[in-house]
């Protein structure tokens, strides 16, 4: 059996890894709450468990282990700070995986890094198969994106309960799709040049990737594609243009400066800047301020999704209310908030390490140039994007391809006999170390159990998401019993805060519609399971539930304000929240409390939110401050001549 493992093991590993490179970007599952990241991650975990088990068997037979160290330095630089931050984090259970739709926790990052290590180890000096799998995957993503752009999609996507006509493709968001295609473009360009036999189809694929990248409308994706293409163009033009590689690098630097500069200009008040760029600036500022709480080690992986709202910029709160992103839309800032200076430095080191490896490749090494373009494209889009599962996986595909390309070029430079991928894999893993006969019980059985456990976990992880989706659909059809059963099934596998909030929110909606005391009690119980969880939208939902319940049971009125105070602790800078709480205070005949809540943020709200000024006018009128009420009335009616609270306040003061 040992000989079979040594001969066939590398071939099987390479096949699985290539399948993951080519299939992960294309995976999506229609009947799932998160149809994009969860299926990708579940398949990645199961596939890697098989590859890792095979590799361990080979090592037990004396196989060479040097390939496993090719990416060990960047792996340690990234995972080390995240591990330290997680060990000291206040939300350890949550931060193992992060929010379900993003999967930015410690384990998802470790799985992706492991994928890169195993990929670099398996392909040794033959990186071309990685290029082919990556480009074909990009062509599939591009084709589906173009179909959606032409509104010929056979699926009617419903995302966040709204039908979308965007080119979300198989990554779930136009920005993610654009960022991924921006990384595919430089690899496709080089593969097209170095493969004369398939030049025409590869040319069509490259054009399709470019067209889909344009039609996504993702400025971050455009920047990534331009930067990566600039790097590759420098390699391709090296024989005709002096210092072409330097010009390509300068072009990528220029794209980077413009990308970051647009966001900065948005913070300086330049009106021509797109709103999405201005919003990113607000989130960067929130992440920067959050990092001051724990500047060295941060607050833990994916901590911005939990605590970032506490540091939001008021202008952003005025525009978005209770909506706040779970990521600052910049990977360096996300690492700064999650793992402090150590994390941000670790991420920057990984990217810089990859670029340094690429800059060291000779001019003739076009394959190395392709993977350098991929890494640079990732670096550029990461400045303005969320580190989604497929995007971060693409980085490690690029790093693995880059180190394999360097080995491949060095091998060919020494004029060694060319080996087929199968021979290279088989011979590259042989060792002179003595081999022992593989024993079934101590060696194989535990690894089989490991793969079986990984398969069970991956299936259950995906099944939980499907059960939640089925629960949402059941609630939508007013089948409360089935909806609860499906959602409770998902939560029983893993207590995920998003799942729990979805169940509680649906029960609260049913309670508000039916006025059924049992439904109110059930919803309150589910919300109470999230007590202490600092999510402002969840706490506000709970407070609204208690307000509705108090209409049929006055004893519940005392539970309303404690929840709103909790929400104010979580999101103290939100004028929309202050407005809602002040409205409750006025109804509770506490206009002084409402006025005290609104007064501190009047300067920041400025000429915005007519409802805010109307509520302030009403509170002042009820406290007898007629002069202040008149000023607030004028401001409210200037913004909205029919603002109801302002008109009511005007009647009160005559």
């Amino acid at each position: 059996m040992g000989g079979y493992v040594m001969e066939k093991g590398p071939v099987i590993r390479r096949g699985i890894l290539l399948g993951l490179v080519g299939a992960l970007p294309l995976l999506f599952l229609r009947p799932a709450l998160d149809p994009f990241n969860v299926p990708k991650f579940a398949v990645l975990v199961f596939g890697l468990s098989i590859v890792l088990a095979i590799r361990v068997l080979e090592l037990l037979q004396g196989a060479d282990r040097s390939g496993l160290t090719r990416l060990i330095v960047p792996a340690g630089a990234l995972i080390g700070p995240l591990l330290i931050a997680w060990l000291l984090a206040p939300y350890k259970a949550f931060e193992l995986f992060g929010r379900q739709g993003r999967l930015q926790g410690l384990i998802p990052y470790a799985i992706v890094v492991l994928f890169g290590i195993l990929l670099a180890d398996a392909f040794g000096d033959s990186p071309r198969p990685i290029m082919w799998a990556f480009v074909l995957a990009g062509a599939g993503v591009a084709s589906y994106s173009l179909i959606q752009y032409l509104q010929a999609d056979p699926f009617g996507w419903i995302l966040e309960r709204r039908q979308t006509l965007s080119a979300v493709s198989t990554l779930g968001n136009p920005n993610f799709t654009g960022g991924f295609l921006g990384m595919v473009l430089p690899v496709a360009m080089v593969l097209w040049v170095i493969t004369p036999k398939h030049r025409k189809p590869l040319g069509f694929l490259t054009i399709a990737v470019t067209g889909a990248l344009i039609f996504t409308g993702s400025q971050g994706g455009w920047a990534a594609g331009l930067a990566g293409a600039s790097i590759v163009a420098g390699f391709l033009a090296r024989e005709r243009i002096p210092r072409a590689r330097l010009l390509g690098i300068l072009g990528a630097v220029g794209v980077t400066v413009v990308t970051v500069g647009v966001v900065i200009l948005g913070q300086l008040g330049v009106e021509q800047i797109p709103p999405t760029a201005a919003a990113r600036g607000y989130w960067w500022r929130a992440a920067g301020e959050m990092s001051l709480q724990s500047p060295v080690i941060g607050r833990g992986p994916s901590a911005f999704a939990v605590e970032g709202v506490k540091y939001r910029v008021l202008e952003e709160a005025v525009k978005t209310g209770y909506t706040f992103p779970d990521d600052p839309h910049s990977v360096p800032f996300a690492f700064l908030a999650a793992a402090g200076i150590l994390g941000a430095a670790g991420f920057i080191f990984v990217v810089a390490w990859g670029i340094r490896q690429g800059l060291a490749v000779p001019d003739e090494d076009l394959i190395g140039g392709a993977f350098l373009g991929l890494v640079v494209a990732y670096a550029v889009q990461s400045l303005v994007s969320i580190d989604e599962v497929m995007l971060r996986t693409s980085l490690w595909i690029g790093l693995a391809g880059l180190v394999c390309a360097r080995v491949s070029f060095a091998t060919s430079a020494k004029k060694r006999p060319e080996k087929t991928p199968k021979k290279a894999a088989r011979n590259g893993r042989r060792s002179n170390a003595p081999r022992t006969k593989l024993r079934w019980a101590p060696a194989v059985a535990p690894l089989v159990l490991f793969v079986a456990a990984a398969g069970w976990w991956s299936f259950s992880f995906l099944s939980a998401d499907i059960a939640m989706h089925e629960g949402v659909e059941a609630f939508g059809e007013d089948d409360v019993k089935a909806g609860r059963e499906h959602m409770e099934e998902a939560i029983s596998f893993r207590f995920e805060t998003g799942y729990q909030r979805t169940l509680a929110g649906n029960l609260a909606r049913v309670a508000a519609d039916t006025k059924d005391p049992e439904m109110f009690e059930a919803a309150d119980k589910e919300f109470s399971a999230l007590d202490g969880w600092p999510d402002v939208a969840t706490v506000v939902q709970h407070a609204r539930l208690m307000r509705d319940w108090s209409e049929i049971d006055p004893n519940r009125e005392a539970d309303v304000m404690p929840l709103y105070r909790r929400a104010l602790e979580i999101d103290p800078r939100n004028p929309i929240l202050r407005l809602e709480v002040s409205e409750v205070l006025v109804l509770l005949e506490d206009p002084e409390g409402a006025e005290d809540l609104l007064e501190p943020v009047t300067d920041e709200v400025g000429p915005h939110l007519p409802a805010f000024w109307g509520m302030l006018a009403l509170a002042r009128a009820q406290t007898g401050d007629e002069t202040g009420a008149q000023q607030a009335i004028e401001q409210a009616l200037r913004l909205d001549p029919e603002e109801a609270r302002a008109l009511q306040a005007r009647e009160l003061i005559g």
Side-chain angles (χ1 to χ4, degrees):
M1 183 175 178
Y4 180 85
V5 169
M6 295 299 291
E7 180 178 355
K8 300 296 184 182
V11 177
I12 297 172
R13 285 190 293 116
R14 289 163 65 94
I16 294 173
L17 290 169
L18 278 184
L20 292 174
V21 172
L24 283 179
L26 302 174
L27 283 174
F28 65 91
L29 189 63
R30 286 281 299 159
L33 194 67
D34 170 21
F36 304 102
N37 277 336
V38 169
K40 290 176 171 58
F41 184 67
V43 172
L44 180 62
V45 169
F46 182 52
L48 288 187
S49 69
I50 299 174
V51 172
L52 187 60
I54 294 172
R55 190 70 176 105
V56 169
L57 286 176
E58 294 174 21
L59 293 174
L60 291 174
Q61 290 298 104
D64 180 17
R65 66 187 67 186
S66 61
L68 293 169
T69 63
R70 288 180 177 141
L71 292 179
I72 199 68
V73 172
L78 192 77
I79 298 301
L82 287 177
L83 179 60
I84 294 171
W86 177 79
L87 289 172
L88 301 175
Y91 312 105
K92 286 186 174 61
F94 170 78
E95 292 176 356
L96 275 176
F97 289 93
R99 188 151 287 174
Q100 184 78 347
R102 295 285 184 240
L103 295 173
Q104 293 174 303
L106 176 64
I107 290 178
Y109 266 104
I111 291 295
V112 169
V113 170
L114 176 63
F115 176 54
I117 290 173
L118 293 175
L119 192 65
D121 169 58
F123 282 87
D125 59 354
S126 53
R128 283 205 189 200
I130 301 176
M131 296 179 71
W132 272 102
F134 194 61
V135 170
L136 290 175
V141 172
S143 299
Y144 191 26
S145 180
L146 288 171
I147 289 172
Q148 290 178 325
Y149 180 79
L150 297 172
Q151 299 187 17
D153 189 355
F155 298 119
W157 283 106
I158 303 293
L159 300 177
E160 297 179 357
R161 300 185 182 178
R162 296 193 303 265
Q163 186 163 359
T164 178
L165 298 177
S166 301
V168 299
S169 191
T170 57
L171 275 79
N173 184 290
N175 290 328
F176 300 157
T177 300
F180 177 73
L181 294 178
M183 288 183 275
V184 172
L185 181 59
V187 182
M189 291 170 61
V190 170
L191 192 61
W192 173 61
V193 170
I194 66 175
T195 315
K197 184 178 179 181
H198 304 288
R199 183 156 293 173
K200 184 175 288 187
L202 283 170
F204 284 123
L205 292 183
T206 305
I207 293 171
V209 168
T210 306
L213 173 58
I214 294 171
F215 292 136
T216 59
S218 168
Q219 291 91 345
W222 296 345
L226 283 173
S230 179
I231 293 293
V232 167
F235 276 84
L236 297 178
R238 69 195 184 282
E239 296 180 355
R240 302 191 203 105
I241 302 175
R243 298 186 178 180
R245 283 186 63 178
L246 177 60
L247 293 175
I249 294 169
L250 293 176
V253 171
V255 171
T256 305
V257 171
V258 171
T259 302
V260 176
V262 168
V263 178
I264 294 174
L265 289 175
Q267 297 305 293
L268 296 177
V270 178
E271 296 181 357
Q272 291 76 15
I273 298 302
T276 55
R280 278 163 170 74
Y282 295 140
W283 301 327
W284 294 6
R285 288 162 59 184
E289 186 176 347
M290 177 181 166
S291 69
L292 297 178
Q293 184 180 2
S294 181
V296 178
I297 61 172
R299 297 288 289 170
S302 201
F304 188 83
V306 182
E307 298 184 343
V309 69
K310 189 181 295 185
Y311 307 95
R312 73 190 314 176
V313 178
L314 191 136
E315 295 93 327
E316 181 266 341
V318 169
K319 296 176 181 177
T320 61
Y322 297 117
T323 303
F324 191 75
D326 46 24
D327 186 277
H329 288 66
S330 173
V331 182
F333 276 104
F335 271 90
L336 183 65
I341 295 173
L342 290 178
F347 172 76
I348 294 171
F349 174 84
V350 169
V351 174
W353 185 90
I355 293 175
R356 183 176 179 275
Q357 294 289 317
L359 294 178
V361 304
D363 290 348
E364 299 79 13
D365 187 2
L366 295 182
I367 295 178
F371 287 112
L372 172 60
L374 189 164
V375 173
V376 169
Y378 170 85
V380 172
Q381 67 84 34
S382 74
L383 298 174
V384 293
S385 177
I386 295 173
D387 209 19
E388 182 265 349
V389 169
M390 198 59 239
L391 298 182
R392 78 182 79 128
T393 301
S394 298
L395 167 65
W396 288 89
I397 290 172
L399 294 175
L402 191 55
V403 296
C404 290
R406 293 197 64 184
V407 173
S408 173
F409 190 84
T411 302
S412 62
K414 294 179 181 179
K415 297 182 179 180
R416 291 182 179 176
E418 185 177 352
K419 300 175 182 178
T420 64
K422 184 174 179 180
K423 278 187 178 180
R426 183 171 67 242
N427 295 343
R429 299 294 173 258
R430 289 193 180 276
S431 169
N432 294 326
R435 297 187 190 133
T436 58
K437 185 177 180 180
L438 202 62
R439 296 179 180 178
W440 172 260
V444 178
L447 292 174
V448 170
L449 290 176
F450 166 73
V451 172
W456 170 84
W457 185 91
S458 300
F459 177 78
S460 300
F461 188 79
L462 185 57
S463 297
D465 211 59
I466 295 173
M468 283 301 299
H469 177 81
E470 292 173 343
V472 170
E473 289 189 329
F475 271 109
E477 296 170 356
D478 296 325
D479 189 347
V480 178
K481 181 180 178 181
R484 291 183 67 177
E485 289 176 352
H486 287 306
M487 292 187 180
E488 288 170 355
E489 176 189 347
I491 295 170
S492 67
F493 168 70
R494 184 167 74 92
F495 182 82
E496 209 277 324
T497 56
Y499 288 173
Q500 186 67 31
R501 176 187 166 185
T502 301
L503 173 57
N506 277 281
L507 290 173
R509 178 182 57 80
V510 173
D513 292 341
T514 62
K515 304 300 181 183
D516 182 351
E518 291 186 3
M519 283 293 101
F520 279 112
E521 187 173 354
D524 180 43
K525 179 182 177 182
E526 298 301 338
F527 274 122
S528 297
L530 291 168
D531 279 352
W533 182 247
D535 181 79
V536 64
T538 300
V539 178
V540 169
Q541 274 188 305
H542 195 183
R544 290 172 179 170
L545 171 76
M546 305 312 290
R547 286 176 63 183
D548 292 337
W549 198 357
S550 67
E551 293 179 2
I552 61 174
D553 184 358
N555 293 327
R556 299 296 174 178
E557 192 174 276
D559 298 325
V560 175
M561 283 310 301
L563 289 168
Y564 274 122
R565 292 191 188 98
R566 169 66 174 154
L568 287 168
E569 291 174 1
I570 298 170
D571 192 0
R573 300 180 181 180
N574 191 340
I576 305 293
L577 174 59
R578 288 175 180 260
L579 171 60
E580 180 171 338
V581 178
S582 64
E583 182 181 25
V584 175
L585 289 171
V586 168
L587 291 173
L588 295 174
E589 299 181 354
D590 183 11
E592 292 87 356
E595 188 176 3
D596 292 341
L597 195 61
L598 297 174
E599 289 282 4
V601 296
T602 53
D603 292 339
E604 290 84 354
V605 172
H608 303 287
L609 293 178
F612 177 93
W613 292 104
M615 179 54 67
L616 180 60
L618 184 59
R620 286 173 174 174
Q622 291 186 1
T623 59
D625 182 6
E626 294 188 4
T627 302
Q630 184 60 40
Q631 293 173 350
I633 289 169
E634 292 174 359
Q635 178 72 291
L637 296 181
R638 189 181 303 118
L639 298 171
D640 180 4
E642 298 182 1
E643 212 296 308
R645 298 177 184 86
L647 295 175
Q648 184 180 353
R650 189 163 67 180
E651 290 180 5
L652 284 175
I653 65 173

